[in-house]
Amino acid sequence: MSKTEKIKKEVGADTQDTYLESKYSSYRTKKDNENQVENAKGTTKRFFKLLTPYWFSVAIVCIASVASTFVNVLAPDYMADLITSAQYSIEDFAANGTHINFGGITEPGSITYQLAVLGALYILLGVFTFVQQYAGAGVTQKLVFNLRNQVNRKLSNMPLSYFDKNTKGEIISKIVNDIDNVSANLQNSFLTVLTGVIQVIGSLVMMLRTGNWVMTVASIFLVPFSGTIAYKISKISKKWFSRYWSSMGAMNGHVEEMYSGHSLVKIFNHENQSIDEFRTINTNLKNNSFAANMIAGILNPILTLFKNINYVSVCIIGGCYYIGTWFNTGVSIRNTLPIGSIEAFLSYSSMFTTPITNISKMINNIQSSLASAERVFRLLDEEEQTPDNTENEPDSLLNGNVRFENVRFRYKEDTPLIENFSLTADPGHLVAIVGPTGAGKTTIVNLLMRFYDIQGGHIYLDGIDIMTMSRNRLRENFGMVLQDTWLFKGTIKENICYGVDNATDEQIEFAAKSANIHDYIMSLPDGYETKLTEDGANISQGQRQLITIARALLKDPKVLILDEATSSVDTRTEALIQQAMQELMKGRTSFVIAHRLSTIKNADNIIVMRHGSIVEQGTHKELLKKDGFYAKLYNSQFTGGIPEDIE
Amino acid sequence: MIKRLAKCVREYKKTALLTPVFVIGEIVMEVIIPLLMADLIDNGITEGSMDYVVKMGVILLVCAVISMFFGCAAGRTCAVASAGFAKNLRHDMYYNVQNFSFSNIDKFSTASIVTRLTTDVNNVQMAFMMIIRIAVRSPMMLIFSFVFAFRINARLSCVFLIALPFLACVLMLIIRKAHPLFRKVFKTYDKLNAVVEENLRGVRVVKSYIRGDYEIDKFGKISQSIYKNFTKAEKTLAFNMPTMQICVYACTIIISWFGAKLIVDSGGTTLSTGELMSLFTYTVQILSSLMMLSMIFVMMTMARSSGERIVEILEESSDITDKTTAATTVKDGSIVFENVDFAYSRSAGKLCLDNVNIEIKSGETVGIIGGTGSSKSTFVQLIPRLYDVTKGSVKVGGVDVRDYELKALRNEVAMVLQKNVLFSGTVRDNLRWGKEDATDEEIKHVCELSQASEFIETFPDKYDTYIEQGGSNVSGGQKQRLCIARALLKKPKILILDDSTSAVDTKTDALIRKAFKEEIPDTTKIIIAQRIASVQDADKIIVMNDGRIAACGSHDELMKSSDIYREVYESQVRGGGENE
């Protein structure tokens, strides 16, 4: 049994494809339910509302489209007259041997006049088309631009829980793919539908105006068929394309995992298995790509066939009218047609049919852009973080006296986490939070920084309830170094002075020196101007952490939060950082989360967390005396021995 | 570049070549239809011969059906060939990527590999479809329509000789102006993506440094640049349709004027009404073919950069290869470094390892201690030959690592990396990387050794627990323990732990080491650590400093002889013990 078969069996998936696709489903950029619109009417309405600021441009686009379509519909009629005139002249010539006069341009009814009118119509058409396209281009892009900025601004007002709940991929997909999807189809579908409707009505009116309903029917009787076929085939093709995208997502996921774990693949000699899995996804992708493209590819030939059948039938029936008898049966037709009108009917037939098939082809696209718009709107409607309350807004930075009073907080309503938690930290105090992984140590920080809002009790900063000041004012007082180092694309200097706009080079260097990273930076060819790649991959984890520490040092905050900040720095460097930190922590309130207990022994207050709640609290000495959980943890770490019964 | 890409068509060559044949068939039909139509009008309708009309009508229908069949056949072969071609491209790329050595890997980021395999291949596939279908269709259509138009009336058709170059020039101008703008827009899109991703990753940092407005501005600027360039590009393109229309209509009017004159003058002998109508059809066909050609041109230039990026991967060759007379078995776990120098790139002046000499006996436990940038990781990466030495030699089991078959060597050297990678799949799937056909008992056993079983057992699905992408649903310490278990399952002769217990608490760390000692005494164990406690009881401790071995010996020896070691030890113990 091959490995893939085994996986299949274990997961119980029907086929390898579905297994792999569900395995990598989180990588999918386009989801299965892509085309499902819950509230099509509301979304459309809201969408048109977005257009209102551009009503002037929109009006111009609309007027230009209507005008160009109108001209377009009129033109064949003039063409018909022209051709009829030409034909009459031939007949005249045959009968009498006389040439008809082309006539002057001012002579209505003459060939010259007709051509002049036609020329004028065509020039108008060109102008209107240009205006429509030119004005339209601005509107769509402006709308997308505003929508995108709106979404981005919305994101910055979302509570942190939103980011914890939704994956990065989902959010990026909304801000990039969905908005793109709206814009890509927006102008196209809107204009297609608008001009299409006018063209259909116009050509129908023009046909009926001739009073010849038989010819009218002959011109359009195939439309229901071609329309339905266009709609059906596009729908099937769309379905295959969405399958194609989902296997593309699977490929994306597979490659991302295998490539980022390349060393592992090498070390475990796993190349063949990885190629096997890739081959399955690749074949699947090929099949979907084939089906999607083939179905899309045969649509046009089929529609052309319909068009040709239509042409022939118009010609034949038109021929009957021209000759004046039904298929040589001798049944005469009174209402005969001039030759030019046959050409006109041919034009009208295509004018009537083309927009209908185009719209049918487009319905699926419209649906998917509506669905995208709906997702974007839904994001815009998400509940924002509670607005800032500024009743006790402090004027300047505070001293850093932190007090938790009977604080209660739960991520999930039914799992108690922090209940009745109280703590006081005076300026300059060091508070350590210790405990095993997953004990909820970071939660305290989340509450203090108001990443999450407490559900009961109060947190005071210098006696001011933090709920009564703006978040920005509150956060100004904090400096934070996290376990996850976050560096952005830019120079080292830019990364260090992230929090302070007007930092001088001396200040930056001083901060770097304090964080023991200055020498390293100077050893780089470009020094402080060294460009970091997207996730700072070109320098080591430890060095990255030192840069984020320098960043926090530069901000010179009143309250310092270190969330396992030194976990990826080696002990020697850590010792040096510790020295700098001791210096830095003077006069500041510090919250330190650490799993190496040796680093926080001299803390003023140690909070011991376990299974999401606080089990002990006190100074190192007190806690040791207590001989509880902390004492066990501490002893095991310090001696490096193996205590019998922890946990 | 095209040559290299064309190589990947392989088994789809026949279908790929068949497509243009079908396309030509389709075009011939499409060109004949207007001709027949003219005949139908002239000889049937205007002559009043209904029989002729019906006969021609039937022939026309047959032609239409044949045209459709050719069209569908072309659609099919085109889809087969292009999908197959894309499949081959991806396959070849991925195959080559699997052979990449680490110096190759350092060249391409994950994101760039993913884009090359997906978006770039997609672009090339589209271009390929264009080439075999539309790139054949448009010029053919242009030529056929032109020929037939000339056959109807050469003098009237001279109009096209003026209209075509005019339209071509205008289109060229538009493309030259719009194309760079579009390229700029696509580049900016990448930037937009990057900024959004960066912000999502660092949402806490952005908030705590109160940089929300700054980030909004940053985003706004990029978004603004997309808006500006896009609008400019689209406004340039706005000239496209009207120009096309003007050309078509100008031709129509000129043909009408002279055509009508001709008809009138000759009484329908040199040009008939039906023929005039066919000329109108050809006008549209000729000019729209040119328009299509210009679009293809744009698509092709876009695909070109994608093609180049694909070829880059295809032609990247691995610099670590097996010798033909490679050894296939590793005798034991002894390791010797002889005068080893190493630099990541040959041009870089600074050596990462500088004249390193060390001898490790099979079954020994060796600890490695050193500061950031002291090349600890580099040192161990030479053992499974992830990189080749610049000078000197590394021997495993008495044989130079370059003389082993890579597979055989890596089978015996297990390494737990600093960056712990788990793959999406169950715990069991992940562990089986170490041994494909491992039994449940074996898996359980190694998990007990690595102290992973205690938390696996607390999962509701135990060993069938699904690990999310990147192992995001297990903690750092749990990840490390799983990675150790995975390495143990290989039953290697050499086990390397590169700072692999940093997130594991000291107690568990000690338990793991104890298990190593008792359960795998014959395996050479190399442990890179930051805590002295993790290496204190090793047979040998190597102290690395700035790419050199500063000292080597047992804990007691080093306490006496090595200043660096003593300094580290004291800093750790002081941190832990004093101040009582």
Side-chain angles (χ1 to χ4, degrees):
Chain A
M1 195 160 48
S2 79
K3 183 177 177 210
T4 45
E5 273 172 295
K6 254 183 274 166
I7 298 173
K8 234 188 289 176
K9 221 177 111 196
E10 278 158 21
V11 184
D14 297 340
T15 65
Q16 178 66 13
D17 320 340
T18 47
Y19 166 68
L20 287 173
E21 264 161 38
S22 61
K23 179 170 165 186
Y24 293 115
S25 61
S26 56
Y27 288 93
R28 241 177 258 174
T29 46
K30 305 199 174 200
K31 293 272 153 53
D32 297 336
N33 57 356
E34 180 182 24
N35 284 345
Q36 264 158 36
V37 192
E38 267 164 36
N39 180 2
K41 212 172 139 198
T43 309
T44 320
K45 235 185 188 168
R46 190 158 165 193
F47 182 75
F48 278 109
K49 243 191 207 154
L50 285 179
L51 282 171
T52 44
Y54 321 108
W55 67 270
F56 188 69
S57 309
V58 174
I60 288 179
V61 173
C62 289
I63 292 169
S65 321
V66 172
S68 67
T69 319
F70 194 66
V71 174
N72 208 10
V73 171
L74 279 183
D77 206 35
Y78 283 89
M79 202 61 160
D81 286 348
L82 188 78
I83 290 173
T84 310
S85 305
Q87 183 63 26
Y88 282 154
S89 83
I90 296 175
E91 280 157 19
D92 263 9
F93 183 74
N96 318 322
T98 55
H99 289 303
I100 61 155
N101 190 1
F102 262 52
I105 198 154
T106 49
E107 213 176 303
S110 73
I111 291 187
T112 316
Y113 177 79
Q114 281 167 345
L115 268 177
V117 171
L118 199 58
L121 283 179
Y122 284 150
I123 290 171
L124 271 181
L125 184 57
V127 170
F128 285 137
T129 315
F130 176 74
V131 170
Q132 171 208 315
Q133 300 257 326
Y134 196 82
V139 175
T140 324
Q141 291 310 321
K142 186 89 195 169
L143 186 111
V144 167
F145 169 66
N146 281 337
L147 196 60
R148 197 170 267 144
N149 283 352
Q150 219 175 321
V151 168
N152 188 50
R153 197 159 296 130
K154 174 80 187 185
L155 279 179
S156 74
N157 281 331
M158 294 300 274
L160 215 71
S161 55
Y162 183 81
F163 301 97
D164 289 343
K165 258 184 267 163
N166 292 284
T167 66
K168 256 190 327 192
E170 272 167 12
I171 299 174
I172 292 180
S173 158
K174 269 178 205 154
I175 202 165
V176 181
N177 298 352
D178 279 336
I179 291 184
D180 262 0
N181 197 13
V182 173
S183 81
N185 292 326
L186 162 68
Q187 195 183 2
N188 245 336
S189 16
F190 179 63
L191 288 182
T192 309
V193 173
L194 183 69
T195 55
V197 169
I198 299 168
Q199 202 167 306
V200 165
I201 295 172
S203 49
L204 193 64
V205 168
M206 293 303 278
M207 281 190 274
L208 290 174
R209 224 174 52 133
T210 61
N212 194 325
W213 62 267
V214 179
M215 279 297 278
T216 309
V217 170
S219 306
I220 63 174
F221 78 103
L222 280 174
V223 167
F225 298 102
S226 51
T228 321
I229 285 179
Y231 171 72
K232 285 266 160 70
I233 291 187
S234 314
K235 199 173 171 185
I236 297 171
S237 151
K238 187 102 193 162
K239 205 174 82 194
W240 281 100
F241 269 115
S242 100
R243 278 189 205 167
Y244 173 71
W245 286 116
S246 91
S247 29
M248 191 67 118
M251 162 152 299
N252 201 328
H254 173 83
V255 174
E256 202 169 313
E257 275 204 353
M258 292 304 154
Y259 193 74
S260 53
H262 192 81
S263 15
L264 218 65
V265 174
K266 291 265 145 187
I267 291 167
F268 282 92
N269 280 327
H270 214 269
E271 289 96 335
N272 287 341
Q273 287 90 325
S274 141
I275 286 177
D276 273 352
E277 196 175 296
F278 180 84
R279 193 174 288 157
T280 317
I281 300 175
N282 197 13
T283 310
N284 203 22
L285 187 59
K286 184 204 88 181
N287 292 339
N288 291 337
S289 154
F290 159 70
N293 282 316
M294 189 189 91
I295 293 165
I298 62 172
L299 177 59
N300 273 332
I302 291 176
L303 288 181
T304 311
L305 175 70
F306 275 101
K307 203 176 98 193
N308 284 329
I309 294 176
N310 220 336
Y311 259 55
V312 173
S313 41
V314 170
C315 269
I316 292 176
I317 296 177
C320 295
Y321 272 102
Y322 179 75
I323 296 163
T325 162
W326 283 118
F327 300 99
N328 286 352
T329 50
V331 183
S332 66
I333 303 170
R334 253 179 290 157
N335 191 4
T336 56
L337 272 182
I339 186 89
S341 297
I342 299 178
E343 163 80 6
F345 266 106
L346 285 179
S347 295
Y348 287 130
S349 153
S350 113
M351 272 186 195
F352 185 86
T353 317
T354 318
I356 291 181
T357 47
N358 277 348
I359 293 172
S360 323
K361 277 196 237 173
M362 216 168 245
I363 287 175
N364 296 299
N365 289 345
I366 295 174
Q367 260 175 0
S368 100
S369 54
L370 267 185
S372 283
E374 193 169 51
R375 275 195 295 274
V376 173
F377 289 148
R378 212 174 292 147
L379 169 67
L380 287 177
D381 290 343
E382 285 285 342
E383 205 177 319
E384 290 188 16
Q385 57 189 16
T386 49
D388 275 331
N389 174 350
T390 52
E391 64 183 274
N392 288 319
E393 191 84 337
D395 301 327
S396 55
L397 289 183
L398 301 164
N399 294 321
N401 177 304
V402 176
R403 191 150 54 89
F404 283 73
E405 208 178 83
N406 301 324
V407 169
R408 179 180 162 276
F409 178 78
R410 297 168 173 193
Y411 286 109
K412 281 184 205 142
E413 208 30 64
D414 52 350
T415 31
L417 183 61
I418 290 171
E419 307 285 325
N420 254 325
F421 173 70
S422 295
L423 163 86
T424 307
D426 290 326
H429 267 200
L430 168 60
V431 177
I433 307 166
V434 299
T437 316
K441 289 171 290 187
T442 308
T443 309
I444 303 284
V445 175
N446 279 341
L447 297 180
L448 189 55
M449 302 275 287
R450 278 195 71 190
F451 289 147
Y452 284 81
D453 281 341
I454 51 174
Q455 288 147 355
H458 299 278
I459 300 175
Y460 297 100
L461 188 62
D462 278 16
I464 306 172
D465 189 331
I466 61 166
M467 301 297 281
T468 63
M469 63 171 98
S470 68
R471 289 181 180 79
N472 283 356
R473 251 296 129 93
L474 170 73
R475 288 171 190 161
E476 270 174 14
N477 295 291
F478 293 96
M480 191 164 79
V481 179
L482 300 172
Q483 188 177 12
D484 266 344
T485 54
W486 184 74
L487 298 180
F488 57 90
K489 208 173 171 175
T491 63
I492 290 185
K493 192 171 155 185
E494 282 165 358
N495 266 289
I496 293 179
C497 61
Y498 188 63
V500 185
D501 281 324
N502 45 6
T504 62
D505 286 356
E506 288 74 40
Q507 286 173 313
I508 293 170
E509 262 177 45
F510 179 76
K513 275 178 188 154
S514 313
N516 286 308
I517 185 72
H518 175 74
D519 291 339
Y520 170 75
I521 296 173
M522 292 315 284
S523 78
L524 296 169
D526 294 330
Y528 282 88
E529 299 301 326
T530 305
K531 279 220 157 43
L532 298 177
T533 52
E534 243 143 278
D535 47 2
N538 48 351
I539 57 169
S540 84
Q541 183 71 22
Q543 285 145 358
R544 288 169 58 178
Q545 191 58 279
L546 290 174
I547 289 178
T548 64
I549 290 171
R551 181 194 286 163
L553 289 170
L554 184 66
K555 194 184 173 191
D556 195 17
K558 289 293 166 194
V559 185
L560 201 60
I561 294 171
L562 305 171
D563 188 350
E564 308 216 355
T566 50
S567 68
S568 46
V569 177
D570 62 286
T571 328
R572 272 189 79 202
T573 321
E574 187 183 342
L576 296 170
I577 293 173
Q578 293 286 330
Q579 286 168 15
M581 293 265 192
Q582 295 290 336
E583 200 53 37
L584 179 80
M585 285 195 274
K586 265 182 202 154
R588 294 175 222 273
T589 318
S590 307
F591 287 81
V592 176
I593 299 176
H595 58 246
R596 266 183 248 165
L597 300 190
S598 59
T599 56
I600 45 93
K601 227 171 16 59
N602 42 4
D604 299 291
N605 195 350
I606 298 172
I607 296 158
V608 188
M609 297 192 72
R610 192 183 181 189
H611 300 316
S613 57
I614 293 148
V615 289
E616 284 170 34
Q617 188 176 340
T619 64
H620 177 68
K621 273 188 197 158
E622 286 165 9
L623 290 172
L624 277 189
K625 210 173 275 169
K626 216 172 179 182
D627 202 20
F629 185 61
Y630 178 81
K632 276 184 190 166
L633 270 181
Y634 179 76
N635 286 328
S636 76
Q637 288 209 350
F638 174 55
T639 58
I642 307 164
E644 302 292 299
D645 58 349
I646 281 194
E647 309 265 341
Chain B
M1 175 190 96
I2 290 171
K3 236 187 200 165
R4 181 69 192 83
L5 291 178
K7 254 195 220 162
C8 297
V9 180
R10 288 203 291 272
E11 69 262 37
Y12 300 100
K13 209 179 224 155
K14 221 177 85 190
T15 18
L17 289 177
L18 218 54
T19 313
V21 175
F22 288 134
V23 170
I24 290 173
E26 190 192 2
I27 291 167
V28 170
M29 287 301 143
E30 270 175 48
V31 178
I32 284 177
I33 288 172
L35 211 64
L36 292 175
M37 206 80 110
D39 196 40
L40 183 138
I41 291 172
D42 290 338
N43 298 328
I45 296 175
T46 47
E47 295 294 317
S49 157
M50 213 54 226
D51 290 338
Y52 195 78
V53 170
V54 173
K55 196 181 101 195
M56 286 310 287
V58 171
I59 295 177
L60 265 173
L61 278 184
V62 171
C63 285
V65 172
I66 294 175
S67 160
M68 184 198 73
F69 273 115
F70 273 128
C72 290
R76 206 192 99 85
T77 49
C78 175
V80 170
S82 63
F85 173 58
K87 185 203 82 177
N88 285 346
L89 271 184
R90 282 188 297 259
H91 179 266
D92 289 3
M93 281 166 83
Y94 193 72
Y95 205 82
N96 203 29
V97 166
Q98 286 302 316
N99 287 327
F100 272 13
S101 74
F102 281 75
S103 38
N104 300 132
I105 290 276
D106 294 341
K107 252 191 249 173
F108 304 102
S109 72
T110 309
S112 108
I113 292 278
V114 170
T115 331
R116 282 166 214 245
L117 268 165
T118 52
T119 318
D120 285 337
V121 170
N122 224 356
N123 287 347
V124 170
Q125 183 184 351
M126 286 307 233
F128 184 72
M129 270 168 82
M130 283 277 188
I131 293 171
I132 61 174
R133 199 163 179 205
I134 302 172
V136 173
R137 190 188 158 87
S138 300
M140 282 294 167
M141 193 74 163
L142 194 97
I143 293 165
F144 278 119
S145 304
F146 210 67
V147 169
F148 279 99
F150 259 87
R151 274 196 41 190
I152 290 177
N153 193 299
R155 271 175 60 203
L156 274 181
S157 303
C158 287
V159 172
F160 300 128
L161 293 180
I162 303 162
L164 269 178
F166 172 73
L167 185 58
C169 283
V170 175
L171 288 178
M172 272 299 284
L173 278 179
I174 292 172
I175 289 172
R176 278 188 55 182
K177 210 166 161 229
H179 188 52
L181 286 171
F182 274 118
R183 281 176 87 123
K184 225 191 257 170
V185 168
F186 290 129
K187 275 216 185 99
T188 330
Y189 263 114
D190 290 345
K191 243 195 234 162
L192 189 80
N193 256 325
V195 166
V196 176
E197 168 148 25
E198 218 166 65
N199 270 317
L200 291 176
R201 224 163 17 92
V203 63
R204 279 181 166 80
V205 181
V206 174
K207 284 191 189 251
S208 70
Y209 281 89
I210 323 172
R211 300 297 271 185
D213 290 338
Y214 170 80
E215 294 294 341
I216 287 178
D217 272 1
K218 194 155 127 195
F219 180 91
K221 267 187 207 135
I222 296 172
S223 161
Q224 171 97 23
S225 128
I226 291 184
Y227 159 63
K228 271 200 177 142
N229 287 323
F230 222 127
T231 312
K232 242 200 236 159
E234 284 205 336
K235 289 206 162 155
T236 316
L237 283 189
F239 285 97
N240 239 346
M241 268 297 279
T243 314
M244 173 75 191
Q245 282 181 341
I246 283 172
C247 282
V248 170
Y249 294 138
C251 287
T252 311
I253 288 189
I254 292 168
I255 290 173
S256 310
W257 170 257
F258 289 107
K261 262 212 151 119
L262 256 180
I263 291 174
V264 171
D265 286 346
S266 68
T269 47
T270 40
L271 184 74
S272 66
T273 351
E275 281 171 347
L276 183 65
M277 278 156 73
S278 308
L279 275 182
F280 293 149
T281 315
Y282 289 133
T283 308
V284 176
Q285 280 181 353
I286 289 173
L287 296 179
S288 60
S289 304
L290 189 69
M291 185 93 163
M292 282 302 265
L293 267 179
S294 75
M295 269 165 62
I296 292 169
F297 181 75
V298 173
M299 293 278 285
M300 299 288 271
T301 48
M302 277 185 190
R304 212 180 83 182
S305 46
S306 288
E308 276 161 6
R309 285 152 57 90
I310 290 173
V311 170
E312 243 175 69
I313 299 277
L314 289 176
E315 289 186 342
E316 181 80 27
S317 57
S318 172
D319 47 16
I320 291 187
T321 43
D322 283 346
K323 281 189 180 168
T324 39
T325 54
T328 50
T329 49
V330 179
K331 202 178 80 208
D332 58 32
S334 65
I335 302 164
V336 179
F337 274 64
E338 252 176 36
N339 307 320
V340 170
D341 282 358
F342 177 77
Y344 278 97
S345 77
R346 277 162 221 282
S347 54
K350 195 177 171 269
L351 289 175
C352 290
L353 289 176
D354 189 357
N355 196 27
V356 170
N357 284 288
I358 188 85
E359 206 168 309
I360 297 167
K361 289 191 209 75
S362 190
E364 266 187 332
T365 301
V366 179
I368 302 177
I369 287 270
T372 311
S374 62
S375 303
K376 293 169 296 194
S377 300
T378 313
F379 174 78
V380 294
Q381 278 171 358
L382 297 180
I383 300 169
R385 206 185 161 202
L386 294 183
Y387 295 92
D388 271 342
V389 295
T390 310
K391 230 178 87 193
S393 71
V394 176
K395 286 180 182 156
V396 169
V399 177
D400 193 313
V401 288
R402 282 167 295 190
D403 293 335
Y404 280 112
E405 194 182 289
L406 268 181
K407 227 180 174 154
L409 174 70
R410 289 180 184 159
N411 253 335
E412 298 300 343
V413 182
M415 189 159 151
V416 183
L417 302 163
Q418 203 171 9
K419 198 173 139 208
N420 296 284
V421 185
L422 291 176
F423 297 92
S424 36
T426 63
V427 168
R428 199 191 307 268
D429 285 346
N430 266 288
L431 293 175
R432 279 206 177 131
W433 272 61
K435 191 179 173 202
E436 246 186 273
D437 50 359
T439 62
D440 286 356
E441 284 70 40
E442 284 177 295
I443 289 176
K444 240 187 196 138
H445 179 66
V446 292
C447 285
E448 273 158 17
L449 292 185
S450 70
Q451 311 300 317
S453 57
E454 54 170 295
F455 69 84
I456 296 174
E457 294 294 338
T458 66
F459 293 153
D461 293 328
K462 305 235 157 51
Y463 289 87
D464 290 321
T465 306
Y466 198 82
I467 307 276
E468 302 286 339
Q469 160 198 351
S472 57
N473 57 340
V474 286
S475 76
Q478 291 172 340
K479 238 194 269 185
Q480 288 184 337
R481 282 181 267 174
L482 283 174
C483 289
I484 295 173
R486 180 168 64 186
L488 284 174
L489 203 52
K490 260 175 91 168
K491 297 210 180 78
K493 292 209 167 76
I494 299 171
L495 175 66
I496 303 169
L497 305 183
D498 185 356
D499 200 11
S500 318
T501 52
S502 60
V504 175
D505 60 80
T506 334
K507 173 203 98 188
T508 314
D509 187 22
L511 282 172
I512 294 172
R513 271 178 290 122
K514 189 174 158 222
F516 282 174
K517 205 168 213 165
E518 287 162 5
E519 301 280 343
I520 47 168
D522 297 333
T523 301
T524 310
K525 296 159 286 277
I526 300 179
I527 300 169
I528 296 182
Q530 289 169 9
R531 283 186 288 228
I532 293 273
S534 304
V535 295
Q536 207 168 348
D537 46 2
D539 299 314
K540 198 183 271 173
I541 300 166
I542 300 172
V543 182
M544 303 240 0
N545 191 26
D546 206 18
R548 292 162 181 272
I549 294 183
C552 178
S554 69
H555 174 70
D556 295 336
E557 287 164 19
L558 288 173
M559 280 302 282
K560 274 180 224 142
S561 63
S562 169
D563 293 340
I564 303 177
Y565 188 78
R566 209 165 36 235
E567 192 189 315
V568 175
Y569 178 77
E570 272 162 12
S571 77
Q572 288 184 16
V573 174
R574 182 162 14 92
E578 285 171 13
N579 294 352
E580 282 294 310

